[in-house]
Amino acid sequence: QVQLVESGGGLVQPGGSLRVSCAASGSIFSINAMGWYRQAPGKQRELVAVITSGGRINYADFVKGRFTISRDNAKNTVTLQMNSLRPEDTAVYYCNADILYSSGSRVRAWGQGTQVTVSS
């Protein structure tokens, strides 16, 4: 069983910064990609940023230059630093991890989500 526990998020004014972090725990053999998705009210969940175990990163166009994703492979954690936040960044942010068990089976795990609200 794997758990993804998120922390951070909250309320910030436009132009401000927030950091969200996610820690994976459980019977993990390895983790390939870890990333962040978000879902705003009435909208579909969308990719924000993803990073592989090798450090390859992909950002959604709408966060390039503003958000930075990083991970600690030894601790199974991933962090999203969000700068220059805009009201349209308001959403629930979900951590995601592509996990491999020692049995060879794989699972795509999700965190419970953390609210990020950008408002004056």
Side-chain angles (χ1 to χ4, degrees):
Q1 195 78 6
V2 172
Q3 271 194 319
L4 299 183
V5 178
E6 295 142 344
S7 59
L11 173 64
V12 67
Q13 292 186 341
S17 298
L18 280 176
R19 177 182 296 179
V20 290
S21 296
C22 172
S25 62
S27 302
I28 299 170
F29 179 73
S30 66
I31 303 178
N32 184 15
M34 297 187 80
W36 291 91
Y37 289 71
R38 71 185 187 186
Q39 187 166 19
K43 294 188 176 181
Q44 289 189 334
R45 191 173 296 188
E46 59 185 358
L47 173 69
V48 176
V50 63
I51 181 169
T52 68
S53 57
R56 183 174 297 178
I57 294 173
N58 185 38
Y59 292 106
D61 287 343
F62 52 77
V63 302
K64 284 181 179 177
R66 301 188 298 125
F67 292 11
T68 302
I69 190 171
S70 61
R71 69 185 279 178
D72 185 327
N73 291 331
K75 296 181 179 179
N76 290 334
T77 59
V78 62
T79 298
L80 185 69
Q81 176 67 42
M82 302 180 286
N83 299 327
S84 302
L85 283 160
R86 306 166 179 167
E88 54 265 38
D89 293 319
T90 296
V92 177
Y93 283 69
Y94 295 92
C95 176
N96 174 263
D98 183 17
I99 294 172
L100 178 65
Y101 293 112
S102 57
S103 64
S105 61
R106 305 179 73 100
V107 65
R108 197 177 184 200
W110 291 91
Q112 78 283 0
T114 184
Q115 178 69 46
V116 170
T117 301
V118 185
S119 175
S120 55

